[in-house]
Amino acid sequence: MNKTISEINEKIRSGNAVVVTAEEMVTVVKKSGAEEAAEKVDVVTTGTFGPMCSSGAFLNLGHPRPKMKMQKVFLNGVEAYAGLAAVDIYIGATQVAEDDPLNREKPGSFTYGGGHLLEDLVRKNKIHLEATAYGTDCYPSKYYEAEITLDDIPEAVMVNPRNAYQNYNCAVNTSEKTVYTYMGILKGNLGNANFCSAGQLSPLLNDPFFRTIGIGTRIFLGGAEGYVTWQGTQHKPGVERNSKGFPLQPGGTLMVTGNLKEMSPEWVKGVSMTGYGPSLMVGIGVPIPVLDEEIAAFCGVSDSELSCPVVDYSNDYPNSTGRVLGSVTYEELKSGTVKISDLEVPTGSLSSYYKALEIADILKKQILKGRFFLGEPQKYLPDGRGSR
Amino acid sequence: MKTKKIVLHFPRKCVNQPIVYRLIRDFNLRFNILKAKILPDEEGLMVMELSGDEEEFDKGVKYLSDAGVTLEPLSKDIKRDEEKCTHCGACIVICPTEALYAEGSERKIIFDSDKCIACELCISACPTRAMVLDF
């Protein structure tokens, strides 16, 4: 029995929709099979909460008097991109503070940067704004300084060019020295293996060919309602997949947008990756309409069937050698140790499964209460099968 | 019986002397070194848990200060800012004593402060800097 998104939305409206999290769906499919699961379940909610460097927000700061075409803008000492119309700027998550000692004494701590600024904005904390300009006839002001909060500025829109990576590398270090990466601190001689995916709960792993996710899909973004606005940058649907269709490599990505003013600091968190730089942890949840048996089967995927490549971040990653040390499943990664080159390597993670579960659960409750409806994609994302 | 976690600062002139050895021999104190850092031509630092008979303990402490070692109690403790912790799990492979670990299938990250030796490694490993030194 096939369903449409509007039929499911009708069920949500009447309070009859059956919604489960992607974790619960594993058991449903195991017990009843995909065919029955497709009949029983209408929506599967997913979630992920991890550092996503390609994140940021457009802000419209409003004009001082006289008006100003802001040329350089600093917010709490973090420079924003101002090469747009007069008072429009973009804050990038990995922008470092102007006075940061960086990696001069390695590893740098990167206590404050774009990610922290975004969190401070969402927290409605006071932000120090400093802007300079060369002055024009229509925009004469050359200097402006103020304390602002998110409530004071006209608009703030989160636009993240690449979030919710479908799958990701498991990072290790085969050199003798510790390396400091965006995948965390990696101890030498395969001291640890760090992964960064919610695995079976990850949005794009539950819909590996983007059959339901496209431009216009309504999502949970940073605690607010957001939308998929495009495929993310580096969206690579054509990567190698296993026999069931799940990508064995990073694969697809999403570009997402939402109103920063409606977000919550619990789901927009500035982070400092030692030796690497600042970034932002973003909470994302995507509801997947169970339109048919195939989608039900995809959503029933468990950590034991999903694997990722083990990559050496001391040499192969920085030098793009393409070498992969092996492949490990998320079940193995979550067990605490994985076997790499005959060594038992302890595993750490950058992505919070605990918080991802919370997101999937929040989304489930919102749908059950009839407060969240599924967005109808206007265009689907490239799926790597040449069908789009 | 007295047990205390203390921080010892060794000035340069003390670095080559068997000070800790004398603590054991002369005052019958037990110790557990939590952290030690003594570099040539530099001041040394040692964090230890010291225990023994109360009278001997105080004598030992007096011996240390007479020898030029500065002492301070390790009032420093590592605390977790629960609001900042995202339960990501970046700390669990960095913690040498398994005071930080992922629990169960939901992977909630637990901080067992009893196992913590205040080595401070988790501080820089934590992306949100939720692990803090508590003075």
Side-chain angles (χ1 to χ4, degrees):
Chain A
M1 188 191 74
N2 293 357
K3 288 172 261 188
T4 64
I5 288 178
S6 59
E7 280 165 7
I8 294 174
N9 275 336
E10 211 36 66
K11 280 190 174 178
I12 296 172
R13 201 163 283 124
S14 59
N16 295 320
V18 176
V19 187
V20 300
T21 66
E23 191 182 78
E24 292 161 343
M25 188 64 170
V26 176
T27 321
V28 175
V29 172
K30 216 169 259 170
K31 255 193 197 158
S32 331
E35 194 184 346
E36 208 183 310
E39 273 175 43
K40 270 201 237 170
V41 180
D42 299 307
V43 184
V44 171
T45 58
T46 63
T48 185
F49 186 53
M52 303 190 197
C53 288
S54 208
S55 298
F58 283 104
L59 264 56
N60 177 283
L61 296 168
H63 272 284
R65 204 179 292 168
K67 284 183 177 167
M68 185 175 191
K69 177 174 172 283
M70 295 179 179
Q71 183 193 359
K72 289 251 177 209
V73 176
F74 292 90
L75 293 158
N76 283 353
V78 177
E79 186 167 15
Y81 181 75
L84 301 159
V87 290
D88 278 350
I89 58 164
Y90 185 79
I91 299 165
T94 70
Q95 184 69 277
V96 292
E98 202 60 8
D99 59 356
D100 196 289
L102 309 172
N103 265 339
R104 258 165 248 149
E105 200 179 313
K106 256 187 123 180
S109 175
F110 301 98
T111 341
Y112 198 87
H116 305 90
L117 172 60
L118 290 160
E119 180 184 334
D120 270 342
L121 278 162
V122 172
R123 281 189 184 281
K124 312 276 167 93
N125 286 344
K126 273 213 164 96
I127 311 280
H128 182 79
L129 160 70
E130 192 180 3
T132 52
Y134 49 87
T136 71
D137 289 342
C138 44
Y139 297 114
S141 281
K142 289 186 178 170
Y143 185 77
Y144 182 61
E145 210 177 345
E147 299 288 321
I148 59 159
T149 70
L150 189 62
D151 291 330
D152 302 332
I153 58 174
E155 283 122 11
V157 187
M158 179 177 270
V159 176
N160 302 344
R162 179 168 73 254
N163 277 180
Y165 240 122
Q166 192 163 27
N167 195 356
Y168 213 75
N169 295 336
C170 165
V172 295
N173 168 15
T174 62
S175 79
E176 285 180 1
K177 274 165 63 181
T178 299
V179 295
Y180 299 87
T181 74
Y182 69 86
M183 287 295 285
I185 299 174
L186 303 172
K187 294 187 274 186
N189 302 314
L190 292 170
N192 59 303
N194 281 6
F195 66 102
C196 188
S197 170
Q200 63 190 11
L201 213 53
S202 177
L204 298 185
L205 281 175
N206 281 277
D207 185 5
F209 292 104
F210 326 110
R211 282 199 49 215
T212 72
I213 302 172
I215 298 161
T217 295
R218 190 176 289 119
I219 61 170
F220 171 104
L221 178 61
E225 194 179 284
Y227 292 86
V228 172
T229 47
W230 204 256
Q231 64 265 28
T233 52
Q234 297 181 19
H235 176 77
K236 279 193 196 122
V239 296
E240 197 189 335
R241 290 169 187 262
N242 68 14
S243 61
K244 288 187 172 170
F246 295 100
L248 300 167
Q249 281 157 31
T253 67
L254 297 179
M255 187 179 283
V256 297
T257 299
N259 188 351
L260 197 73
K261 292 194 170 200
E262 292 168 4
M263 292 183 188
S264 136
E266 199 184 344
W267 306 110
V268 179
K269 272 211 182 314
V271 294
S272 305
M273 304 307 298
T274 298
Y276 170 75
S279 187
L280 187 71
M281 275 179 95
V282 184
I284 292 182
V286 179
I288 296 174
V290 184
L291 304 178
D292 55 34
E293 191 183 329
E294 188 192 43
I295 291 167
F298 282 145
C299 291
V301 73
S302 71
D303 283 333
S304 61
E305 304 160 276
L306 296 167
S307 56
C308 67
V310 180
V311 175
D312 181 6
Y313 274 61
S314 70
N315 177 42
D316 297 322
Y317 183 85
N319 296 316
S320 306
T321 68
R323 188 173 74 128
V324 167
L325 300 184
S327 168
V328 286
T329 68
Y330 284 102
E331 186 182 41
E332 289 165 333
L333 285 164
K334 287 176 184 174
S335 75
T337 55
V338 283
K339 209 162 197 160
I340 302 166
S341 310
D342 287 326
L343 273 175
E344 286 290 334
V345 182
T347 56
S349 49
L350 275 306
S351 178
S352 171
Y353 190 76
Y354 183 71
K355 288 284 181 183
L357 265 178
E358 212 178 311
I359 292 172
D361 210 50
I362 290 172
L363 197 49
K364 172 182 160 178
K365 285 184 181 131
Q366 284 177 346
I367 297 171
L368 286 172
K369 284 182 188 157
R371 288 197 202 136
F372 191 105
F373 292 91
L374 307 179
E376 189 96 47
Q378 303 300 301
K379 180 179 161 64
Y380 289 92
L381 308 182
D383 64 1
R385 296 192 284 198
S387 56
R388 285 169 203 144
Chain B
M1 187 76 173
K2 194 171 180 178
T3 301
K4 258 192 169 176
K5 282 183 184 170
I6 51 172
V7 183
L8 311 177
H9 293 276
F10 297 80
R12 279 186 204 179
K13 65 177 170 95
C14 292
V15 168
N16 293 325
Q17 293 172 32
I19 286 171
V20 176
Y21 162 75
R22 287 201 53 199
L23 267 186
I24 315 165
R25 201 196 60 184
D26 298 354
F27 307 101
N28 199 25
L29 298 179
R30 272 180 294 152
F31 70 96
N32 181 20
I33 297 175
L34 305 175
K35 180 175 180 173
K37 202 173 166 186
I38 302 175
L39 299 165
D41 292 330
E42 269 184 48
E43 198 195 70
L45 175 122
M46 189 181 278
V47 182
M48 61 159 69
E49 188 178 74
L50 200 60
S51 59
D53 173 74
E54 187 150 356
E55 202 179 320
E56 293 289 307
F57 187 101
D58 294 341
K59 276 187 195 166
V61 167
K62 187 174 180 305
Y63 159 72
L64 284 171
S65 28
D66 288 348
V69 178
T70 348
L71 278 95
E72 48 180 339
L74 182 74
S75 50
K76 285 201 275 196
D77 266 326
I78 300 286
K79 288 261 164 70
R80 180 165 76 176
D81 182 333
E82 298 299 335
E83 209 196 308
K84 279 191 176 173
C85 175
T86 64
H87 299 272
C88 72
C91 55
I92 59 177
V93 273
I94 300 300
C95 177
T97 59
E98 289 176 21
L100 288 153
Y101 59 94
E103 191 179 64
S105 66
E106 58 172 24
R107 292 181 67 79
K108 185 174 186 176
I109 308 300
I110 308 294
F111 175 47
D112 181 350
S113 56
D114 288 343
K115 284 190 189 166
C116 176
I117 56 164
C119 71
E120 301 174 28
L121 284 175
C122 55
I123 295 177
S124 60
C126 173
T128 57
R129 299 290 187 264
M131 305 306 293
V132 285
L133 260 182
D134 189 55
F135 290 97

